Amino acid sequence: MARILILDDDPDITFAVSLILARQGYDVRTAATRGEGMQALIDFRPDLLILDVMLEQPDDGIAMAQELRRNGNAVPIIMLSSVGRVTGMDFDRDEEMLPVDAFLAKPARPDELLAKVGELLAREGASPCS
Amino acid sequence: MILDNGFLSPFGQHRRLSFAEQELVHSLDWLISLRWFAGLTVVVAAPLVALVFKVAIPSDLISITGLSILACNLVFWWALRRLRADDPNATARFEAFVRIQIILDWLALAILISLSGGAESPTILFFLFHITIASLLLPDHFNFMFVTLAPLFVAVVVVLEYIGVLPHVMILSPSRHRDPQFVFASVGVFVFACYGMAYCCLSIARRLRRRESELGGLYEGVRDITSTLEITAVLDRIAEVVPRVLGCKAAAIRLLDVAGSQVQFAASSGLSDRYREEVPEDFAKSTLDQDTLRDGVVDVPDVLSDARVRQPELVRAEGIASMLSVAINGRTGVLGVLRAYGAPGHRSTADDVAYLQAVAAHGAVAIENARAYRMLADLDRDKSRFLRMTTHELRSPVRVTESLLQTLATESTGSLDADQRELLVRAQRRLGSLHDLIDDLLDLAAGKANMAPPHPRRVNMGETVREVAERFRALAAGKGVGLTLQLPGEEASVWCDPADLERLAVNLVSNAVKYTGQGDVTVAVSRHADRMRLRVADTGIGIPTSAMPHLFDEFYRAENARANGESGTGLGLSIVKVLVERSGGQMSLSSVEGNGTTVTVDLPVDGHG
């Protein structure tokens, strides 16, 4: 079963998303802070990362995604955002602007979320749960 | 909106004295004070001189003259007091009073001269002394014709002695009073000196007075004009300042609206009601005003001969003979017109124009400030009104959703599994937070906009506080936190809106219980002089000093409050502040991080907050 890590500081979001994915049969882990998330990447080695734009600080999610890519970690990332936060942000100029594989606006519809998850996992060659 | 004050000014029933008038009264005080000294000197000097210099002068007669001077001065002193008390505005009477004093002084001097040697008398010099002092003190009341009285009195004395009518007191030996050459020379030098002195002193004094009057008037005027931010008061004061300092009869100011075409406000000072009603100039049609806007300054020295003046008979009947208008220029453009009305005999000088323009310039600044202030006040009110409307709109869907979720939660549509129930509970909790936030926002907006005006009445503070504290007893007990209530023995009443009191008590007690993990919360009501005091003290997480300046900012939550895990909108204290202020009370707060916080609110006991 594919492993998915959910990183979001809002406990209700992580609850809802992990519920949807777990019911589909995925192996789900959650983290609430960037630190926890980085640790979980090492321990849990997820096949997919669902990342919120805002963690403790605004744009923490973006910064974390950039850091991962810089370190050579190519794990597929779905970014969850509140509409309007995508634009008007500062990025590192020497990096890919948005080093994520997909964007979903909050609140993410369960069917859209599952579809995206399936698509990205298939691309990676991991086995999606249908 | 036309606003006018006519003879009524914000400073009182009487028109305030113009600068020139103030100076006149002040100078008269001086003159009378000097005369005490002069009279005394005459009384004392006569016998002294006779003794020391062994001169045969009639020192008794001279002393009597001195005493009469003192007696007259007493009458002058009393008369000045009466004049001031009676009617400070009676300029004509003051003028007459000045002339009478000077003439009597010169008469006394003439007598003294005759008693001390006539043409040979050294006291002729005192005449010059008097002319100097008088023209320095009263430059606006002297002219050369008046000054001529002085040499006239002296000439009469000398001639009378010459022809023998008046007895001669011998000073020089042999006496020269019958020597025509000596007499002519002596009187001639005196006349020359009189006019010379008068001219020098008057020129200098007039210039100084003028400058003093301008600066003093400008200072007072600017201070008055800029001391208020209320637009109608600013205009009233501008209109008031002009006659007070220019010495003209009246002034009027008309302000255009922001678009620059219609008159928005008007104010005047010194004009009768009849004039204001019957000579309303339509700004767009008034050639005079249009010319003023275009040229900056328009001087109408004679209202009867200028075709631009409408209804000249009415204008004349009001006592106006001339008009001087200047444009009021603001930073953004022309704001309006300022006009000074002169009585017959008043001539506008270049100084008047400069002065009027200075008043207009300062007035423009004050007007623009007042407008900006009003705009800010309007914006603030609009913002609060918007906030209130928006929150009302937000409440409805929230309430409906709460009801829908409640239906699910009670399982009336079917039972729920664990996950479903968990989702539902979380949703309800978040919705509840939203509900509280909207309520808080509404309270805040209502307080600031004063849209829901408070209905203060006598409220039993003890009862209200007790009831509120009891609501939190269960919550506190559940956390293991003690809740102590201290109420005074006698009736504890305050004057405020009961809903306001309840709300602020709820916020304070809620904060105390929420942010205390262990220890106690104490809620105390007590009386201090004319105030009832509510004190809510806790032993909770306290407030860090870095958070203190922001404590009453909306939506502010200190770092340690966030970390505490309790939900909060950050509006609680800002709401309490608004409520305390509109109840006419005061609040204070002290806290030590880690030890606890104490909030104290004082409210007035009766209606006099």
Side-chain angles (χ1 to χ4, degrees):
Chain A
M1 278 289 96
R3 291 183 299 280
I4 303 183
L5 173 65
I6 303 168
L7 182 41
D8 191 316
D9 65 340
D10 189 323
D12 292 332
I13 296 282
T14 50
F15 176 77
V17 174
S18 62
L19 194 60
I20 296 168
L21 296 171
R23 286 216 166 175
Q24 279 305 113
Y26 289 105
D27 185 3
V28 180
R29 182 129 141 199
T30 66
T33 66
R34 187 164 163 176
E36 278 177 32
M38 294 305 269
Q39 189 58 41
L41 279 164
I42 299 168
D43 299 338
F44 186 56
R45 286 176 302 110
D47 299 308
L48 179 81
L49 175 59
I50 298 178
L51 185 53
D52 185 23
V53 166
M54 247 179 50
L55 297 171
E56 286 142 347
Q57 308 289 334
D59 310 339
D60 248 0
I62 303 263
M64 186 171 164
Q66 287 170 347
E67 189 189 329
L68 287 178
R69 294 297 184 244
R70 256 200 308 271
N71 297 345
N73 191 329
V75 64
I77 300 177
I78 295 177
M79 186 148 263
L80 294 178
S81 74
S82 316
V83 178
R85 290 203 184 278
V86 181
T87 55
M89 295 187 294
D90 279 72
F91 304 113
D92 271 332
R93 291 286 169 248
D94 59 336
E95 281 293 325
E96 276 275 345
M97 293 290 258
L98 294 165
V100 302
D101 301 273
F103 253 105
L104 283 176
K106 278 194 204 177
R109 285 180 37 186
D111 52 341
E112 276 180 16
L113 179 62
L114 288 170
K116 234 357 143 195
V117 167
E119 180 192 317
L120 287 177
L121 284 175
R123 212 195 301 166
E124 293 298 306
S127 51
C129 310
S130 41
Chain B
M1 173 177 108
I2 301 291
L3 197 81
D4 208 309
N5 65 351
F7 278 109
L8 285 173
S9 79
F11 306 97
Q13 285 295 109
H14 292 294
R15 180 177 61 86
R16 223 160 119 181
L17 287 184
S18 78
F19 224 75
E21 285 160 348
Q22 287 177 33
E23 282 307 307
L24 174 57
V25 172
H26 191 67
S27 303
L28 282 173
D29 271 332
W30 257 90
L31 205 56
I32 291 175
S33 307
L34 283 175
R35 206 174 286 113
W36 292 126
F37 178 70
L40 210 61
T41 311
V42 169
V43 171
V44 166
L48 219 61
V49 163
L51 205 65
V52 172
F53 293 105
K54 303 207 183 7
V55 188
I57 50 173
S59 45
D60 45 350
L61 287 176
I62 293 178
S63 296
I64 290 174
T65 314
L67 286 171
S68 347
I69 291 175
L70 289 174
C72 282
N73 207 27
L74 195 62
V75 173
F76 291 150
W77 178 79
W78 172 85
L80 182 63
R81 285 188 62 179
R82 272 290 303 276
L83 275 178
R84 269 153 100 164
D86 269 356
D87 183 3
N89 296 336
T91 335
R93 286 160 76 179
F94 277 103
E95 295 266 349
F97 187 47
V98 167
R99 293 190 197 284
I100 290 169
Q101 282 192 49
I102 306 286
I103 291 175
L104 287 178
D105 279 341
W106 286 348
L107 205 59
L109 272 170
I111 293 170
L112 282 174
I113 287 172
S114 130
L115 289 175
S116 56
E120 303 164 346
S121 169
T123 58
I124 282 185
L125 289 174
F126 283 116
F127 243 110
L128 297 175
F129 191 61
H130 188 276
I131 287 179
T132 308
I133 300 284
S135 40
L136 282 176
L137 284 179
L138 303 156
D140 299 323
H141 307 280
F142 265 63
N143 54 27
F144 290 111
M145 270 192 48
F146 192 69
V147 171
T148 309
L149 283 175
L152 199 67
F153 283 177
V154 169
V156 163
V157 165
V158 166
V159 161
L160 289 179
E161 278 198 354
Y162 190 85
I163 59 178
V165 170
L166 227 51
H168 174 73
V169 170
M170 202 154 81
I171 299 290
L172 297 176
S173 180
S175 119
R176 311 284 305 272
H177 75 290
R178 283 253 156 78
D179 178 356
Q181 272 183 327
F182 177 78
V183 169
F184 269 119
S186 175
V187 175
V189 167
F190 174 69
V191 168
F192 183 70
C194 266
Y195 286 117
M197 277 281 41
Y199 174 72
C200 291
C201 295
L202 286 175
S203 310
I204 295 172
R206 277 183 185 150
R207 223 186 8 227
L208 286 177
R209 273 295 161 79
R210 184 81 200 182
R211 194 52 78 204
E212 185 187 36
S213 161
E214 277 173 21
L215 288 176
L218 197 60
Y219 164 72
E220 267 190 24
V222 167
R223 195 190 53 192
D224 286 344
I225 291 169
T226 55
S227 67
T228 175
L229 278 174
E230 216 285 289
I231 185 82
T232 47
V234 166
L235 294 178
D236 283 342
R237 289 182 193 195
I238 293 174
E240 264 243 334
V241 162
V242 173
R244 189 148 47 96
V245 183
L246 275 186
C248 61
K249 176 183 161 45
I253 175 171
R254 269 116 57 92
L255 201 63
L256 300 175
D257 64 5
V258 180
S261 54
Q262 295 295 326
V263 172
Q264 186 187 27
F265 291 114
S268 70
S269 169
L271 294 175
S272 69
D273 291 328
R274 186 169 155 249
Y275 184 84
R276 277 181 287 122
E277 274 156 37
E278 294 185 23
V279 190
E281 289 181 50
D282 184 347
F283 204 83
K285 293 200 202 126
S286 160
T287 338
L288 202 53
D289 286 331
Q290 296 302 324
D291 283 352
T292 309
L293 291 182
R294 187 192 61 213
D295 301 333
V297 181
V298 167
D299 186 8
V300 176
D302 181 9
V303 295
L304 294 176
S305 64
D306 195 314
R308 293 176 292 189
V309 175
R310 274 115 168 288
Q311 298 171 284
E313 339 69 44
L314 244 155
V315 172
R316 209 43 157 122
E318 177 76 7
I320 294 168
S322 61
M323 294 185 189
L324 179 62
S325 314
V326 298
I328 303 172
N329 291 311
R331 279 177 309 117
T332 49
V334 173
L335 298 177
V337 169
L338 177 61
R339 182 165 298 143
Y341 298 96
H346 182 103
R347 285 217 55 88
S348 296
T349 63
D351 276 348
D352 285 335
V353 173
Y355 185 78
L356 201 58
Q357 285 176 321
V359 174
H362 285 284
V365 171
I367 289 167
E368 282 174 332
N369 282 350
R371 279 191 166 156
Y373 178 74
R374 185 173 269 205
M375 199 155 63
L376 278 175
D378 286 344
L379 278 175
D380 197 51
R381 208 173 18 245
D382 288 344
K383 183 198 81 180
S384 293
R385 198 181 307 147
F386 169 75
L387 196 59
R388 192 167 167 271
M389 277 165 40
T390 313
T391 49
H392 266 304
E393 293 297 308
L394 288 172
R395 265 189 169 160
S396 157
V398 167
R399 282 208 204 97
V400 168
T401 311
E402 278 175 330
S403 152
L404 292 171
L405 291 180
Q406 189 61 24
T407 311
L408 265 178
T410 55
E411 299 189 329
S412 38
T413 52
S415 57
L416 303 165
D417 68 30
D419 283 338
Q420 287 171 331
R421 201 168 305 125
E422 178 71 22
L423 283 168
L424 196 53
V425 163
R426 285 171 182 256
Q428 284 177 309
R429 198 187 316 134
R430 298 302 279 263
L431 198 60
S433 296
L434 182 59
H435 184 133
D436 289 342
L437 180 60
I438 293 172
D439 279 349
D440 281 351
L441 280 175
L442 201 64
D443 275 345
L444 202 62
K448 284 180 109 172
N450 239 7
M451 293 296 259
H455 298 292
R457 54 176 185 272
R458 205 166 211 85
V459 179
N460 189 331
M461 191 185 207
E463 265 316 297
T464 309
V465 170
R466 179 212 301 279
E467 196 266 324
V468 164
E470 289 306 322
R471 283 192 230 168
F472 287 92
R473 201 167 276 288
L475 179 61
K479 290 178 77 172
V481 169
L483 180 60
T484 313
L485 188 57
Q486 291 169 1
L487 297 175
E490 12 99 271
E491 156 131 353
S493 294
V494 289
W495 187 262
C496 69
D497 185 315
D500 285 356
L501 178 61
E502 185 191 334
R503 183 72 203 210
L504 76 86
V506 163
N507 281 16
L508 291 177
V509 176
S510 159
N511 271 3
V513 172
K514 197 195 292 188
Y515 295 115
T516 302
Q518 59 196 28
D520 292 282
V521 169
T522 311
V523 180
V525 175
S526 56
R527 174 140 188 171
H528 287 257
D530 63 341
R531 306 254 145 187
M532 284 307 300
R533 175 166 295 177
L534 167 64
R535 201 172 129 269
V536 177
D538 66 63
T539 59
I541 60 176
I543 301 165
T545 35
S546 59
M548 285 297 205
H550 308 289
L551 219 48
F552 295 97
D553 294 350
E554 290 126 6
F555 303 115
Y556 183 80
R557 297 190 75 209
E559 280 307 310
N560 60 348
R562 276 184 232 260
N564 201 47
E566 294 273 2
S567 69
T569 56
L571 286 173
L573 275 178
S574 36
I575 290 174
V576 169
K577 178 167 179 260
V578 168
L579 294 175
V580 168
E581 273 167 12
R582 78 178 195 174
S583 303
Q586 292 95 31
M587 75 180 280
S588 65
L589 185 151
S590 69
S591 180
V592 177
E593 185 171 9
N595 278 10
T597 306
T598 303
V599 181
T600 310
V601 170
D602 285 342
L603 293 174
V605 168
D606 58 24
H608 313 299

